Amino acid sequence: MDRPNPFFRNKWSKAASLPMMLIVWVVFVCGTIWTVLFSFTNIKILPLFTPQQWMDGFVGFANYTRLFKTDRWMSCPGITKILTEDWEFKCAGALPNMVTYAVFSIVISVSLGFLLAVMMDQKIRAEGVFRTIYLYPFALSFVVTGHVWAWIMSPEYGLQHSIRQLGWESFTFDWIADRQMVMYAIVIAGIWQGTGFVMALMLAGLRGIDEDIWKAAKVDGIPAWRTYLQIVLPMMKPVLVTTFVIVTSGAVRIYDLVVATTDGGPGISSDVPSRYIYQNFSANLGQSLAASTVLLVTMAIVLIPWIRMEFGKKSQA
Amino acid sequence: MANTTAFDQVPSGKKPTPFITWQRFVVYSVLGVCALFFLLPLYIMVITSLKSIQEIQGGNIFVPTMSPSFDAWEKAWNSACTGLYCEGIKVGFWNSVKITGPSTVVSIAVASVTGYSLANWPFKMSEFYFTVLLLGSFIPYVVMLYPLVIITRWMGIYSTLPAVVFVHTIFGLPILTLLFRNYFASLPQELFKAARVDGAGYWGIFFRVFVPMSVPIFTVAVILQITGIWNDFLFGVIYAGPTNYPMTVQLNNIVNSAMGGKAYNVDMAATILTGLVPLTIYFVSGKYFVRGIAAGAVKG
């Protein structure tokens, strides 16, 4: 009978972890479930937690169907004319903008980051100086990044104006004011901020490759560029997966950068999901929550390769 | 040693290469061009802030001014308008200090203890919590924004300083816990056992053995949190309330309030001022910053 109560074993450890447990349950688990559940209701403002409110407001998938009928969220006019000559795979709206940003920022920052890491790995002089230069934008706020690039890319007095002034009269660079191109302008700003980080991850990955691989490749007479692309790159798969997941989750969250660079403009042509959701919190809460759930599902899909890598190897071992 | 002649000494190093080969040339060219791309915005930001508005409108964005002046900096700091009032970005600076200080301290205090529990005093389900915590760090913030509005409202702190501190603590927890857990797990376990044999308990071991040994990881955490929280925009705009808007939000308001034409020099001065704190930390801390951002990418 004098066996200590197991509940009190390790009591300080449990007590100290209490904030973490509360955060996990209340914010991460319940918060997420709450958002998903109430995305099926027509609740307006400041709903609470009661099941009664949920049942009273239940509308099924109405928020989702309305959301995808909203042009500001997503509109693909040409895509329904499938099998006709007018068919085109071209969409506009917040969700397609996010996808555009995600795809381009991943492809460009990963390839540029890898290229820079390989160059940095050539036993160069002043490596620290280069690394400091590539990485400093990552220490800055998206708001700072956005305003600097908005100024550089402003057609009025920025790059376009300055190059025309130098004599190249026809030079045009007005992506930031062009509805079709504005997302690519934001991609430029995003790449400027994030590539140094990708480079740092890649460089760490390269440095982790066994020296013997290099010796073996050299003995076999494989040129360095092929060793990088065909031997080293596949060996860096864990780093690539991590980079992919981090860069993509940043792209899914994109908000501050757009607010600072264009504030969604011109018009709403560079709107992104987070901005759409935030702006609809007061007027259109149900739809906002539905849009949040869409982002959540997107993120879950992106996470699959990472989860398989992180938790798959444990079950194998 | 003394009788070796010049003939015995076989060169052991590589064959000397010419001063510059074409490969080297390509490597340095690529690195140099990219470095220019990364430096350009900083350069433009600085020279624009030193120009007068007439020079900006008539001149070239790349050309530095012949008569630099800090008037725009002075105006950005003291009297730029944020839409409602014209007190400059200094208001935002002090708000950011008020937000960043407590948030950094509270989040690191909670996370270091949590990491210590997870690494050295595992309890039932502790790994489960850690997994959910890590997965939770990937949930898009918008998913939890409204629930957190409800929670902070219920706590009675919505739209106040404690609310932002609370939210920063929550969202800093996954990465910081990971950082501390991995660090504590890498310390020799004999130390922990020896301290237990000597009769030290949970807190004794933490404060007398682990904390003194963990100055580097606390430095990394502090750098990570200060830069991260200083650069935050979303949480500041939602939870802090208008009187506590951090510097990033004030900067955005200054740039977007176009009272009497856009003052690009003031905008750029305000932008530099906002970036100055994280930049300084970055340049001073060097490797610690890299360690901090890499920690999130490498799970132990």
Side-chain angles (χ1 to χ4, degrees), chain B:
Chain B
M1 286 287 239
N3 1 337
T4 49
T5 63
F7 297 103
D8 296 330
Q9 290 173 344
V10 180
S12 58
K14 268 192 203 163
K15 220 168 79 179
T17 46
F19 178 66
I20 198 150
T21 62
W22 70 269
Q23 285 107 325
R24 294 267 107 178
F25 181 74
V26 171
V27 167
Y28 283 110
S29 305
V30 172
L31 290 174
V33 169
C34 289
L36 282 183
F37 167 71
F38 284 99
L39 284 174
L40 183 78
L42 188 63
Y43 167 74
I44 286 178
M45 197 164 29
V46 173
I47 61 167
T48 305
S49 74
L50 299 174
K51 286 178 186 173
S52 70
I53 201 77
Q54 290 79 16
E55 257 183 301
I56 289 172
Q57 286 169 348
N60 189 303
I61 194 172
F62 300 109
V63 179
T65 170
M66 285 302 115
S67 50
S69 112
F70 277 93
D71 290 353
W73 288 56
E74 203 274 326
K75 194 170 176 227
W77 181 255
N78 277 321
S79 61
C81 299
T82 56
L84 289 174
Y85 42 82
C86 297
E87 288 171 29
I89 203 158
K90 65 171 189 291
V91 185
F93 175 86
W94 291 114
N95 285 342
S96 275
V97 171
K98 278 188 276 182
I99 293 171
T100 307
S103 304
T104 304
V105 173
V106 174
S107 62
I108 290 178
V110 173
S112 59
V113 173
T114 309
Y116 167 63
S117 283
L118 293 175
N120 297 89
W121 301 82
F123 47 88
K124 201 178 163 195
M125 303 250 288
S126 62
E127 276 304 297
F128 163 80
Y129 281 109
F130 184 58
T131 307
V132 178
L133 198 63
L134 282 188
L135 289 177
S137 72
F138 287 106
I139 302 173
Y141 294 139
V142 284
V143 173
M144 289 168 292
L145 284 186
Y146 213 89
L148 275 171
V149 170
I150 298 176
I151 293 170
T152 49
R153 231 182 248 266
W154 175 76
M155 291 164 76
I157 57 172
Y158 177 68
S159 213
T160 63
L161 217 51
V164 225
V165 175
F166 178 68
V167 173
H168 279 303
T169 305
I170 290 172
F171 290 108
L173 194 64
I175 173 77
L176 291 179
T177 304
L178 175 73
L179 198 73
F180 282 107
R181 173 187 170 276
N182 289 355
Y183 185 82
F184 291 140
S186 74
L187 293 177
Q189 289 307 295
E190 287 73 22
L191 261 167
F192 177 73
K193 286 175 190 156
R196 284 209 77 179
V197 170
D198 288 345
Y202 181 88
W203 295 109
I205 298 176
F206 183 67
F207 283 112
R208 297 214 203 127
V209 184
F210 277 34
V211 173
M213 292 179 68
S214 311
V215 176
I217 206 69
F218 276 96
T219 315
V220 169
V222 167
I223 290 164
L224 197 68
Q225 283 303 85
I226 294 183
T227 50
I229 295 167
W230 193 274
N231 289 339
D232 159 70
F233 176 85
L234 186 61
F235 300 145
V237 94
I238 296 180
Y239 301 102
T243 48
N244 297 316
Y245 276 161
M247 204 169 183
T248 48
V249 179
Q250 303 273 28
L251 167 68
N252 202 46
N253 291 344
I254 286 177
V255 176
N256 289 340
S257 82
M259 284 188 190
K262 267 192 150 317
Y264 294 105
N265 50 356
V266 177
D267 292 352
M268 283 303 111
T271 310
I272 300 175
L273 286 167
T274 309
L276 217 51
V277 169
L279 267 191
T280 311
I281 291 176
Y282 170 70
F283 285 120
V284 171
S285 66
K287 279 214 168 114
Y288 285 110
F289 180 85
V290 182
R291 253 182 91 179
I293 57 166
V298 196
K299 186 175 168 284

Side-chain angles (χ1 to χ4, degrees), chain A residues 10 12-14 16-17 19-21 23-32 34-35 44-49 112 115-116 119-120 122-125 130-145 147-149 151-152 154 156-159 161-163 165-166 188 191-193 195-197 200-201 218 242 245-246 249 252-253 255-256 259-260 263 273-274 277-278 281-282 285 289 292-293 295-296 299 303 306-307 310-311 313-314, chain B residues 14 19 24 26-28 30-32 34-35 37-45 48 56-62 110 113-114 117-118 121-151 153 166 169-171 173-174 177 202-203 227 230-234 237-238 248-249 251-252 255-256 264 268 271 274-276 278-279 282-283 286-287 289-290 293-294 296-299:
Chain A
N10 231 344
W12 279 117
S13 176
K14 284 175 188 165
S17 304
M20 185 265 288
M21 295 181 196
I23 288 170
V24 162
W25 282 117
V26 177
V27 181
F28 289 162
V29 176
C30 293
T32 306
W34 183 89
T35 294
K44 287 288 177 249
I45 194 160
L46 253 197
L48 288 168
F49 306 93
L112 188 61
L115 178 75
L116 284 177
M119 297 291 169
M120 296 275 283
Q122 304 303 310
K123 300 189 174 70
I124 55 155
R125 277 161 208 271
F130 282 115
R131 199 194 50 220
T132 308
I133 292 172
Y134 299 146
L135 205 51
Y136 87 90
F138 195 70
L140 290 172
S141 165
F142 274 126
V143 182
V144 169
T145 303
H147 287 308
V148 177
W149 279 99
W151 162 232
I152 294 176
S154 106
E156 209 181 349
Y157 300 118
L159 189 68
H161 167 80
S162 302
I163 293 202
Q165 212 186 35
L166 294 173
I188 294 179
I191 285 169
W192 178 76
Q193 209 205 24
T195 301
F197 172 62
L201 291 182
K218 216 165 202 173
T242 317
V245 170
I246 293 179
S249 72
V252 172
R253 277 179 190 163
Y255 175 74
D256 335 14
V259 168
D263 200 17
S274 296
I277 292 165
Y278 178 55
F281 268 150
S282 45
L285 186 59
L289 297 177
S292 306
T293 309
L295 279 200
L296 185 70
M299 200 56 231
L303 268 182
W306 181 78
I307 291 175
E310 286 296 332
F311 301 100
K313 66 186 171 203
K314 268 180 209 156
Chain B
K14 268 192 203 163
F19 178 66
R24 294 267 107 178
V26 171
V27 167
Y28 283 110
V30 172
L31 290 174
C34 289
F37 167 71
F38 284 99
L39 284 174
L40 183 78
L42 188 63
Y43 167 74
I44 286 178
M45 197 164 29
T48 305
I56 289 172
Q57 286 169 348
N60 189 303
I61 194 172
F62 300 109
V110 173
V113 173
T114 309
S117 283
L118 293 175
W121 301 82
F123 47 88
K124 201 178 163 195
M125 303 250 288
S126 62
E127 276 304 297
F128 163 80
Y129 281 109
F130 184 58
T131 307
V132 178
L133 198 63
L134 282 188
L135 289 177
S137 72
F138 287 106
I139 302 173
Y141 294 139
V142 284
V143 173
M144 289 168 292
L145 284 186
Y146 213 89
L148 275 171
V149 170
I150 298 176
I151 293 170
R153 231 182 248 266
F166 178 68
T169 305
I170 290 172
F171 290 108
L173 194 64
T177 304
Y202 181 88
W203 295 109
T227 50
W230 193 274
N231 289 339
D232 159 70
F233 176 85
L234 186 61
V237 94
I238 296 180
T248 48
V249 179
L251 167 68
N252 202 46
V255 176
N256 289 340
Y264 294 105
M268 283 303 111
T271 310
T274 309
L276 217 51
L279 267 191
Y282 170 70
F283 285 120
K287 279 214 168 114
F289 180 85
V290 182
I293 57 166
V298 196
K299 186 175 168 284

Side-chain angles (χ1 to χ4, degrees), chain A residues 215-274:
Chain A
K215 287 178 191 154
K218 216 165 202 173
V219 169
D220 289 345
I222 303 172
W225 65 271
R226 273 193 57 197
T227 315
Y228 271 116
L229 281 184
Q230 296 185 326
I231 301 172
V232 173
L233 200 58
M235 287 179 74
M236 282 174 47
K237 200 179 155 202
V239 178
L240 289 172
V241 171
T242 317
T243 311
F244 168 78
V245 170
I246 293 179
V247 176
T248 318
S249 72
V252 172
R253 277 179 190 163
I254 181 174
Y255 175 74
D256 335 14
L257 186 62
V258 171
V259 168
T261 320
T262 62
D263 200 17
I268 48 156
S269 52
S270 62
D271 204 8
V272 282
S274 296

